[in-house]
Amino acid sequence: MTDYRTPLIAGNWKMFKTGAEAVQYAKALKKQVADVENTDIMIAPPFTALSAVSEILRDTRIGLGAQNIFWEKEGAFTGEISAPMLISAGCQYVIIGHSERRQYFGETDETVNRRLKAAANAGLIPILCVGETETQREAKKTFSVLDKQIKDGLNGLILDEHHPLVIAYEPVWAIGTGKTASPDQVQEVHAYIRKQIAKNFGNMLANAIRVLYGGSVKPDNVSGLMALPDVDGALVGGASLQPETFSQIIHF
Ligand code: 13P
C-alpha cells in the first residue's frame, strides 16, 4: 500500500527569480540531484519561468509545478492561468490554497475546491495546502480548522488511489519564521489528516495520498521530519531557493 507514497520533496519558490535566474537554478539542480533514485522532486517557479524551466527538466526526475491555477479553461479572466496553459507550459503539479493565497488574495475553501477540481480533472497533481494560524492553535482549534479545510476543499472531488492527491500541512506560524513544528506536533496532525481522508474517502485513498510538511524545513531538520511515519515529504519555501541547499534537503 505504501507503494504510492514515494517521498516528495517540493520547492515553492513563491515570488522569487526571473526567467534567467530560474534557468540557471534548474541547470544546477539537475546536476546535483542526478544520483537521486527513490525520491520525487518538484519545483514551482513563478508562471513566467515555467516554459523555460520545463525545457531543462525534460528527461529528469524533477517535476514542475505551478503556484496557482484558475478553474475556467479560458475566457475573459484577466490575470488568471488555466489548467491547459499549465500543462502546455510543462507542469505536472499545482500548489493550491497556499496560506499566502488565502491570507492576501482572499481565497476560501470554496475557491480552493474549484481550483482543485479543475486541476484534478485536467490530470495535474494538486498539492492542497492546509494549516492553522498561531491564534487558532492557541485556541485549540487546529483540528476543527483542518477538518473544514479538508472537507470543504475536497468536496465533490472524485478521488481514488489512481488519482494522486498531495496534501501539504503548513502551520501558518511556521512559514518563513524559522519555527518548525515539533516532531510530535507534526506527526499528530499528519495522522489526523490521514484519518480524516479515511473517514471521507476510505482507507485505500488514505494510505495512498502523500502528506507533506511545510514550514521552515531546512537541511538540518528534514531527516527528523522524514522519519515520522505519516510524513511523506516536504514543501520547502526559503530553503528551496538555492540549488545547493535544496539538494541537501532532497538527499535527506
Ligand atoms: P518556508 O520554508 O520559507 O517556511 O516556507 C514554507 C512554505 O510556505 C512552502 O510553501
Side-chain angles (χ1 to χ4, degrees):
M1 201 49 61
T2 48
D3 291 347
Y4 296 106
R5 286 164 56 188
T6 305
L8 170 63
I9 305 292
N12 172 13
W13 291 9
K14 310 192 179 185
M15 197 176 72
F16 289 97
K17 296 192 193 296
T18 62
E21 289 164 348
V23 163
Q24 201 183 12
Y25 174 113
K27 285 181 179 162
L29 185 67
K30 184 171 151 175
K31 284 194 196 127
Q32 283 168 11
V33 301
D35 62 326
V36 174
E37 277 177 1
N38 298 317
T39 301
D40 288 343
I41 304 165
M42 183 216 78
I43 53 174
F47 292 128
T48 46
L50 290 173
S51 292
V53 168
S54 104
E55 291 297 314
I56 294 158
L57 301 187
R58 198 187 297 255
D59 302 323
T60 72
R61 62 179 300 131
I62 309 172
L64 187 65
Q67 298 175 21
N68 196 11
I69 183 172
F70 188 59
W71 51 83
E72 297 291 346
K73 287 195 176 72
E74 60 180 11
F77 301 105
T78 302
E80 294 299 320
I81 311 256
S82 70
M85 292 170 188
L86 295 181
I87 290 169
S88 77
C91 291
Q92 302 89 36
Y93 295 85
V94 57
I95 299 171
I96 297 179
H98 191 280
S99 63
E100 286 149 17
R101 302 273 345 147
R102 295 177 191 254
Q103 191 179 346
Y104 305 129
F105 303 100
E107 295 217 8
T108 62
D109 291 324
E110 203 255 323
T111 58
V112 165
N113 178 251
R114 297 182 78 171
R115 290 175 210 278
L116 274 169
K117 283 180 179 152
N121 290 339
L124 287 161
I125 303 175
I127 304 183
L128 165 64
C129 299
V130 297
E132 80 288 1
T133 63
E134 188 151 40
T135 318
Q136 289 164 336
R137 177 163 280 267
E138 279 164 5
K140 307 220 176 311
K141 291 194 177 138
T142 299
F143 295 114
S144 61
V145 166
L146 292 168
D147 268 354
K148 183 170 178 329
Q149 289 174 339
I150 291 170
K151 223 163 134 225
D152 294 356
L154 298 181
N155 183 30
L157 221 75
I158 315 249
L159 291 173
D160 61 44
E161 67 279 14
H162 303 294
H163 296 87
L165 166 77
V166 178
I167 295 184
Y169 168 56
E170 299 205 311
V172 179
W173 48 273
I175 296 178
T177 57
K179 275 196 225 173
T180 324
S182 71
D184 284 352
Q185 286 171 326
V186 175
Q187 174 53 28
E188 185 186 29
V189 170
H190 280 225
Y192 182 79
I193 290 172
R194 215 177 289 285
K195 207 173 83 190
Q196 290 310 102
I197 297 291
K199 205 167 96 184
N200 292 293
F201 296 96
N203 281 329
M204 282 284 274
L205 186 72
N207 290 321
I209 67 156
R210 290 182 285 191
V211 185
L212 314 186
Y213 169 77
S216 299
V217 175
K218 308 275 181 246
D220 62 3
N221 61 21
V222 64
S223 52
L225 291 160
M226 292 303 294
L228 299 169
D230 282 299
V231 172
D232 306 304
L235 183 55
V236 187
S240 74
L241 291 172
Q242 298 299 330
E244 300 75 21
T245 315
F246 192 45
S247 166
Q248 284 174 36
I249 294 177
I250 292 163
H251 289 94
F252 62 89

